[in-house]
């Protein structure tokens, strides 16, 4: 029987809930919005399947060392719509063209972040661009298993822990399953994302109709969050100014506890292919990177085979693992929870999200030991000016 005594030991994948033959497991949501399993002991038959499929207990790593690539999709439109270089789209198209199914993360009409399955290239757009929220896997593992048992190819994309959970849930190696993992900084709860969207709606006094993470209107390096409103107005802000990304990347306020001691860092990797941004590429190669460049790790023979099937659609260059890791610390190290995380959680349901992040940003700046007295006087003056303008 699975029992979560420390939240760092649960990634919230739902594999235990889905494998339970007697439906004895439910998800309980904590104040931060993250889900954790709870076992109804009266219904539990002590089969221990929940413990066997848990990715924390059983990490399904590959045995191979990665072969590393720098790559991007030759189709500039696809590349522009993608998180980095558009490699995932080429992989997905190949699977669909071979009568297979692709499982990825989408933003639903109600702005819930969830995994879905498609077999039409026209629907691939919904899986492009990263979603910095933990996705709801609902009963997706069972759906994938049913396709695999029919000898249909399936490509699954998710975080490393989700890939490991799927492999454990299946309890056997399927030759027709291909897995892709993202280089993961950590996941945020749907509850926090909803608070952010609510704040944007309040600011514009309008209803959000659609939302995009990682928009490249400016460039790949200066990506934005972009919200489209019912009346036609638009919110768009770069990651260094957007409240959600400031709290996520700069202050690490709302990362799932398991992400702060992630068991899926380092090597070997869990998925057949690892995809991420090739940050720092301009330091080693002179390219036009404005539309994005992908770092690609081929972690298994199966991953190499699938990648070779799409090589004509991509620009590809061999690189070393060190060239990727040096500017992608999330491959090897977990993030630490920020100093103001508890403060954020104590306030975010009561205060406006953007105002709260702004306040935390100022608190963190003021606490900076490198600030001189002159710097602090400058900050005070700016704060007074801001209040005067309001």
């Amino acid at each position: 029987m699975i029992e979560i005594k420390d939240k760092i030991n649960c990634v919230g994948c739902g594999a235990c809930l889905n494998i339970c033959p007697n439906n004895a497991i439910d998800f309980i949501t904590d104040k931060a919005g993250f889900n954790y399993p709870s076992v109804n002991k009266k219904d539990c038959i002590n089969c221990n399947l929940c413990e066997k499929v848990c990715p924390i207990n059983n990490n399904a790593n590959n045995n191979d060392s990665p072969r590393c690539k720098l790559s991007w999709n030759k189709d500039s439109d696809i590349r522009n719509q993608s998180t980095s270089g558009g490699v995932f789209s080429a992989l997905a198209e190949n699977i669909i063209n071979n009568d297979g199914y692709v499982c990825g993360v989408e933003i639903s009409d109600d702005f819930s972040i969830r995994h879905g399955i498609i077999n039409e290239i026209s629907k691939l757009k919904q899986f492009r661009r990263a979603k910095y929220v933990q996705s709801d896997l609902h009963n997706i593992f069972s759906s994938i298993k049913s396709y695999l048992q029919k000898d249909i190819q399936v490509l699954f994309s998710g975080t490393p822990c989700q890939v490991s959970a799927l492999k454990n849930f299946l309890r056997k190696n399927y030759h027709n399953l291909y897995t892709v993992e993202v280089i993961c900084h950590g996941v945020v709860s749907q509850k926090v994302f909803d608070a952010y969207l609510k704040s944007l709606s309040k600011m514009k006094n309008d209803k959000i109709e659609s939302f995009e993470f990682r928009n490249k209107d400016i460039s790949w390096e200066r990506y934005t969050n972009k919200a489209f409103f019912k009346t036609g107005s638009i919110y768009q802000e770069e990651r260094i100014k957007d409240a959600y990304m400031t709290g996520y990347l700069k202050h690490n306020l709302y990362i799932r506890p398991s992400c702060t001691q992630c068991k899926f860092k380092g090597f070997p990797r869990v998925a057949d292919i690892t995809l991420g941004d090739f940050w720092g590429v301009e330091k080693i190669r002179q390219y036009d990177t404005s539309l994005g460049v992908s770092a690609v790790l081929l972690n298994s023979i199966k991953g190499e085979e699938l990648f070779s099937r799409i090589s004509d659609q991509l620009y590809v260059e061999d690189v070393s693992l060190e060239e990727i890791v040096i500017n992608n610390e999330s491959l090897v190290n977990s993030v630490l929870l920020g100093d103001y995380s508890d403060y954020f959680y104590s306030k975010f349901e009561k205060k406006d999200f953007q105002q709260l992040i702004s306040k935390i940003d100022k608190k963190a700046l003021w606490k900076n030991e490198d600030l001189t007295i002159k710097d602090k006087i400058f900050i005070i003056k700016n704060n007074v000016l801001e209040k005067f303008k309001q």
Side-chain angles (χ1 to χ4, degrees):
M1 178 192 311
I2 200 159
E3 187 176 1
I4 307 302
K5 295 181 179 179
D6 191 328
K7 289 182 178 180
I8 65 169
N9 292 321
C10 177
V11 299
C13 63
C16 56
L17 183 148
N18 281 277
I19 201 70
C20 181
N22 213 37
N23 297 318
I25 299 177
D26 292 314
F27 261 174
I28 304 298
T29 305
D30 70 1
K31 68 175 184 178
F34 293 116
N35 292 324
Y36 296 89
S38 176
V39 180
N40 185 333
K41 295 180 180 180
K42 292 181 180 179
D43 294 332
C44 179
I45 59 175
N46 295 309
C47 63
N48 292 322
L49 285 175
C50 54
E51 294 184 0
K52 292 177 182 177
V53 300
C54 177
I56 292 293
N57 295 335
N58 306 280
N59 190 345
N61 277 333
N62 289 294
N63 294 320
D64 297 342
S65 299
R67 270 67 67 192
C68 301
K69 311 287 183 181
L70 171 159
S71 186
W72 63 72
N73 200 308
K74 292 178 182 177
D75 186 320
S76 59
D77 288 335
I78 291 176
R79 188 179 172 195
N80 188 45
Q81 294 170 18
S82 303
T83 301
S84 44
V87 173
F88 170 75
S89 289
L91 295 168
E93 285 181 12
N94 185 273
I95 294 293
I96 292 173
N97 286 333
N98 282 282
D99 299 320
Y101 284 76
V102 174
C103 183
V105 181
E106 61 188 357
I107 302 180
S108 301
D109 291 341
D110 63 354
F111 300 104
S112 60
I113 309 301
R114 57 189 287 122
H115 266 78
I117 299 181
I118 61 170
N119 66 341
E120 298 176 37
I121 290 177
S122 62
K123 295 181 179 180
L124 258 181
K125 185 178 180 180
Q126 64 202 47
F127 290 167
R128 295 184 185 128
R129 293 198 175 101
K131 287 85 177 174
Y132 296 111
V133 183
Q134 182 162 33
S135 60
D136 180 2
L137 286 158
H138 47 105
N139 62 346
I140 213 81
F141 290 169
S142 296
S143 299
I144 291 172
K145 185 175 182 179
S146 67
Y147 289 124
L148 294 173
Q149 289 175 332
K150 296 173 184 175
D151 206 28
I152 296 172
Q153 289 187 15
V154 177
L155 175 67
F156 176 83
S157 173
T159 60
C161 56
Q162 289 175 335
V163 173
S164 184
L166 171 61
K167 288 185 173 182
N168 290 343
F169 174 86
L170 295 173
R171 303 178 68 198
K172 65 173 283 188
N173 293 321
Y174 285 88
H175 71 91
N176 47 329
L177 173 66
Y178 297 88
T179 56
V180 172
E181 64 182 10
V182 295
I183 298 176
C184 183
H185 177 81
V187 296
V188 182
S189 74
Q190 181 73 46
K191 189 176 182 180
V192 168
F193 182 53
D194 289 343
Y196 165 68
L197 295 181
K198 181 181 178 181
S199 178
L200 294 184
S201 291
K202 180 183 176 183
M203 178 183 67
K204 293 283 189 177
N205 193 27
D206 200 356
K207 182 180 179 181
I208 298 176
E209 291 209 318
S210 62
F211 181 87
E212 294 177 354
F213 285 106
R214 297 298 298 265
N215 178 280
K216 297 179 183 176
D217 285 348
I218 302 174
S219 71
W220 167 57
E221 295 92 343
R222 296 175 60 191
Y223 63 80
T224 66
N225 279 356
K226 190 173 184 179
F228 301 83
F229 293 83
K230 188 174 182 179
T231 59
S233 62
I234 293 173
Y235 163 86
Q236 186 167 25
E237 197 65 84
E238 288 185 57
R239 62 178 180 184
I240 59 172
K241 296 180 180 179
D242 174 76
Y244 188 85
M245 300 309 290
T246 296
Y248 175 59
L249 292 176
K250 184 178 179 181
H251 298 302
N252 294 319
L253 297 175
Y254 26 79
I255 304 294
R256 188 181 179 98
S258 59
C259 299
T260 65
Q261 296 186 41
C262 179
K263 299 182 183 298
F264 302 89
K265 301 298 182 182
F267 305 93
R269 305 299 301 175
V270 63
D272 297 309
I273 298 174
T274 303
L275 294 178
D277 297 286
F278 205 125
W279 297 126
V281 64
E282 72 281 353
K283 298 175 184 177
I284 58 173
R285 304 286 191 277
Q286 295 300 314
Y287 299 125
D288 177 6
T289 62
S290 59
L291 292 183
V293 180
S294 292
V296 183
L297 278 64
L298 305 177
N299 305 310
S300 68
I301 294 174
K302 188 187 290 187
E304 287 195 75
E305 178 266 323
L306 178 59
F307 191 76
S308 69
R309 282 157 46 179
I310 62 168
S311 58
D312 61 329
Q313 296 173 249
L314 308 174
Y315 174 83
V316 182
E317 187 174 331
D318 291 332
V319 293
S320 69
L321 179 60
E322 290 73 20
E323 287 174 308
I324 292 176
V325 171
I326 192 170
N327 288 297
N328 254 310
E329 190 178 356
S330 291
L331 262 173
V332 292
N333 292 320
S334 301
V335 297
L336 296 177
L337 203 60
D339 293 339
Y340 295 96
S341 179
D342 288 342
Y343 177 79
F344 169 82
Y345 282 128
S346 70
K347 303 288 186 181
F348 87 104
E349 291 183 276
K350 305 170 188 175
K351 291 188 174 292
D352 177 80
F353 187 93
Q354 293 179 93
Q355 291 177 6
L356 178 58
I357 296 299
S358 178
K359 185 174 182 178
I360 290 172
D361 202 35
K362 289 173 183 176
K363 279 177 174 285
L365 180 62
W366 191 258
K367 191 179 178 181
N368 189 337
E369 294 178 356
D370 294 330
L371 285 179
T372 64
I373 294 176
K374 186 177 180 180
D375 292 330
K376 292 185 177 182
I377 293 172
F378 179 77
I379 292 170
I380 292 171
K381 285 182 177 179
N382 271 2
N383 288 344
V384 171
L385 286 172
E386 282 183 21
K387 289 181 179 179
F388 182 74
K389 289 177 182 178
Q390 292 173 359

